[in-house]
Amino acid sequence: MPRITLPDGSVKEFESPVTARQVAESIGARLAQAAVGCRVDGELADLGTVLDRDCSLAIVTEKTRAGDPDPDALFLLRHSTAHVMAEAIQRIVPGAQLVYGPPLDTGFYYDIAFPEDRPLKEGDFEAIEAEMARIVKNDRPFTRYELPVDEGMAKLKGEGSKYKIDNAEQAVKAGSDRLSFYATGEPGKDWEDLCRGPHVPGTGRIGAFKVMSLASSYWHGDENSDRLTRVYGTAFFSKKDLDAHMMRIEEARKRDHRVLGRKLQLFHIDEQVGQGLILWTPRGSVIRKELQDWIGGELRKMGYTDVYCPHIGKLDLYKTSGHFPYYAESQFVPVMERDFLSKVSDEGCSCSDLSNMMGEGDIEGYLLKPMNCPHHIKIFDSQPRSYRDLPIRLSEFGTVYRWEQSGELNGMTRVRCFTVDDAHLFCREDQVGEEVRGCLKLVKIAFETLGLTDFRIRVGLRDPDSSKYVGDPAVWDKAEAACREAASELGAKVSMEPGEAAFYGPKIDFVVKDVIGREWQLGTVQVDYNLPQRFDLSYVGADNQRHRPVMIHRAPFGSLERFVGVLIEHFAGAFPLWLSPEQVRVLPISEKSNDYAKEVVAKLTEAGLRATLDDSDNRVQGKIKAGSEMKIPYLLVVGPRDAENRAVSVRAFGEEKDLGQMPLEDFVAAAAEEHRGKGKVTVKDRMPAGV
């Protein structure tokens, strides 16, 4: 007699085993009709899952109670659509062998091995989609069945696909004692695939789909193994949602920071310098410096002090902190001391032995710093501290280095060298709550100033079953409680995510949604009881005894490279005046107006604005077009009449019509105010009445 506990805490009892679908039907016909899957004790499952024991059950529908698309429902839909696409492809290319087809946040893909004489091409997409439409229209059920391992392996060997045999062997190694298959329809009659599931009830639940693109991949990700074709697709429950998604993709293409960054001359990546290493150009450096100066001013108001640290440190420093070996795979290879290298060379150390020593860190050498925190810890520990000194807040725009795989690099948003607006706070335990709230307030101010007002908060907690985390569980409990409490006070949506903490402590991440609905993880705050213990940090308390400080890591922007890359896409390259590399460009109508134009530039520059002069031979319409293409906030057209009236004709980026004529002194004052106030009041707000 299973007892089923529902999300509202109510309990349903049944005299015999039931399926999740039957439970939904017992609740109501509308729920049963809307259901696409379920969660049993937190695990996503099919509606056909048999419940033969006491458990918790949540029915998954297209929308959450808040009316938002349910990520679980989309997962089920896209996993199911991947099967439909694979079936359609195998109908069109009978020799195609399926490898692996998981759902993604925005769609799904299937890795497939195609015959050499019949590769898949984009010209096949229309035929694939037509075949998929027929499968969807047939509304065949996704039917799960299981076989004992021996029987399942015999079935796969009979089919002759080494890829499916390998997938099954991996499942057995992971502990599976049975192999599960899904038929799109009737087992033994219709198309089927080895699969863990789960899926939506039937193909008819797939509302809208599209085959998106092709890419190359390799079996097991090994470049020396079989070359595969990765077929990407996406799916939604409605055509309206699919159309909106396609519009977002097109808008994202227009906003691609890699394209805009090159066009607007903001940054450069050069093969001779190295992939993932950003060269900030003069125009891009303006944006970076404005951000640094502004957030630096906010930090000074909050009692932070600046520090500077080297880009390299002894390997032992990072062994003590735990960054080596915990993050060894994402760090640059250690740099060996010359004397040590000579010593092991004289001892006949082989390349293999030396490689093993470097991998284990058993060398005398240095490491390009992957984090700033160990250096800041040493600054704190450089002199005795009293409880009266705390909190101590150390800040630095510190450059760090990570070894990202070449395939993961992406413009400014995924790099190998980046600068963090880093700070580390050392405080008493009774100060933790207040300091965390102050850090979160700073992050919120940063985002709101930049118009990034749509964000949610993700609290990363430890997974008690993982060996990744270091330190006393009781200490973790304190740190996690402080993060939960502070995050709940910000008035934003908060989610708790076990397993997402840093190895040394829980963290609070800000996930920001840009103007076209994409989410980016940016600012972060982390509470750390462990590194102070690993470095044996202390301060003298009011009782004249040694006490352990608590450490808080925080970075409102995170990586400056990533942050600016996100801003480029968020603003589509049209930065607000205070961040724009070139704020005003003056355009004389003809050579006769050059002298007045130079005077205008001088007035703007004197007021602290970044102004330039276009005194080229182009016609004024050509100058306007060039300025607009560079997304300059204000273009000032000046001619003889403007010079006579001591005025300027104002054009604002993004405005269809000119703003009109404005006295020069008034424009300078209004633009300077817009710059200082970060756009709270604009030049347009100060235009004469009637304009």
Side-chain angles (χ1 to χ4, degrees), residues 25-131:
E25 290 169 347
S26 74
I27 297 171
R30 290 182 62 185
L31 177 63
Q33 186 176 7
V36 294
C38 65
R39 278 195 174 273
V40 181
D41 289 338
E43 291 290 325
L44 197 59
D46 302 319
L47 280 176
T49 300
V50 176
L51 310 175
D52 56 3
R53 55 180 173 77
D54 294 354
C55 63
S56 65
L57 176 71
I59 301 299
V60 175
T61 58
E62 294 179 23
K63 303 285 186 181
T64 64
R65 291 188 177 184
D68 300 321
D70 190 318
D72 286 343
L74 286 173
F75 179 97
L76 292 165
L77 174 75
R78 289 164 179 166
H79 192 185
S80 303
T81 311
H83 276 226
V84 170
M85 183 184 75
E87 179 179 354
I89 288 173
Q90 286 194 314
R91 288 183 181 181
I92 292 167
V93 187
Q97 294 191 54
L98 306 178
V99 182
Y100 182 60
L104 306 168
D105 288 341
T106 57
F108 56 87
Y109 71 80
Y110 226 115
D111 280 347
I112 303 175
F114 287 96
E116 290 186 9
D117 60 349
R118 182 54 174 97
L120 198 69
K121 50 190 182 298
E122 290 190 1
D124 294 318
F125 288 2
E126 185 176 345
I128 294 170
E129 290 174 353
E131 201 65 48

Side-chain angles (χ1 to χ4, degrees), residues 384-687:
R385 306 290 183 178
S386 162
Y387 71 97
R388 295 188 182 90
D389 300 327
L390 305 184
I392 290 174
R393 308 182 185 100
L394 306 178
S395 64
E396 177 186 14
F397 286 93
T399 301
V400 297
Y401 302 85
R402 307 280 176 80
W403 182 256
E404 300 286 358
Q405 298 297 317
S406 58
E408 297 175 341
L409 298 173
N410 181 32
M412 298 183 87
T413 59
R414 197 71 180 266
V415 294
R416 287 173 172 162
C417 167
F418 56 93
T419 300
V420 183
D421 61 325
D422 222 346
H424 295 93
L425 294 73
F426 301 86
C427 62
R428 304 190 306 267
E429 193 167 314
D430 63 293
Q431 297 172 322
V432 170
E434 182 179 355
E435 290 303 308
V436 170
R437 286 191 290 273
C439 292
L440 296 182
K441 179 182 176 182
L442 178 64
V443 178
K444 189 175 181 182
I445 289 172
F447 290 163
E448 289 179 346
T449 300
L450 290 159
L452 299 168
T453 55
D454 189 355
F455 60 83
R456 62 184 176 89
I457 298 170
R458 187 172 63 201
V459 181
L461 308 173
R462 75 193 185 283
D463 177 357
D465 296 326
S466 173
S467 60
K468 163 185 170 183
Y469 307 100
V470 297
D472 185 345
V475 166
W476 272 88
D477 290 341
K478 293 179 185 178
E480 290 180 344
C483 288
R484 284 192 184 96
E485 182 179 347
S488 66
E489 295 178 8
L490 281 182
K493 182 179 179 182
V494 180
S495 64
M496 304 295 165
E497 302 197 10
E500 294 300 318
F503 75 89
Y504 49 77
K507 62 178 180 175
I508 302 172
D509 291 330
F510 282 73
V511 181
V512 178
K513 188 174 288 187
D514 67 15
V515 291
I516 61 173
R518 296 170 302 177
E519 287 193 329
W520 304 87
Q521 190 276 306
L522 295 175
T524 187
V525 177
Q526 303 171 6
V527 178
D528 183 359
Y529 282 77
N530 286 301
L531 284 183
Q533 182 175 343
R534 293 175 76 95
F535 281 94
D536 194 25
L537 300 184
S538 67
Y539 66 90
V540 177
D543 57 1
N544 210 32
Q545 300 296 313
R546 292 176 73 241
H547 295 270
R548 187 84 67 203
V550 181
M551 186 175 176
I552 299 173
H553 311 243
R554 72 106 199 93
F557 298 151
S559 156
L560 274 173
E561 284 74 6
R562 177 180 170 81
F563 194 77
V564 170
V566 171
L567 289 183
I568 292 171
E569 299 201 5
H570 179 69
F571 292 120
F575 288 94
L577 183 74
W578 71 281
L579 277 179
S580 184
E582 187 179 350
Q583 296 173 314
V584 185
R585 184 178 290 184
V586 182
L587 316 177
I589 289 177
S590 68
E591 188 177 344
K592 295 178 182 179
S593 301
N594 281 355
D595 288 343
Y596 178 60
K598 291 176 182 176
E599 184 181 345
V600 171
V601 171
K603 290 284 187 182
L604 292 164
T605 304
E606 185 179 333
L609 295 163
R610 296 183 287 276
T612 61
L613 170 66
D614 183 353
D615 58 358
S616 65
D617 294 334
N618 288 341
R619 295 172 63 87
V620 72
Q621 289 303 320
K623 295 179 181 181
I624 291 172
K625 181 181 178 183
S628 297
E629 288 177 347
M630 293 303 291
K631 303 180 185 288
I632 299 167
Y634 294 111
L635 302 177
L636 303 184
V637 179
V638 296
R641 185 176 298 178
D642 297 294
E644 181 180 340
N645 296 329
R646 306 290 298 167
V648 291
S649 296
V650 184
R651 297 180 66 96
F653 181 81
E655 296 284 343
E656 292 185 5
K657 297 181 180 180
D658 296 354
L659 296 186
Q661 194 179 71
M662 189 177 192
L664 173 59
E665 297 298 332
D666 289 354
F667 176 84
V668 172
E673 182 180 2
E674 181 176 343
H675 174 86
R676 288 192 302 271
K678 306 293 185 288
K680 291 180 181 177
V681 179
T682 68
V683 168
K684 186 177 181 180
D685 298 328
R686 299 300 191 196
M687 291 297 294

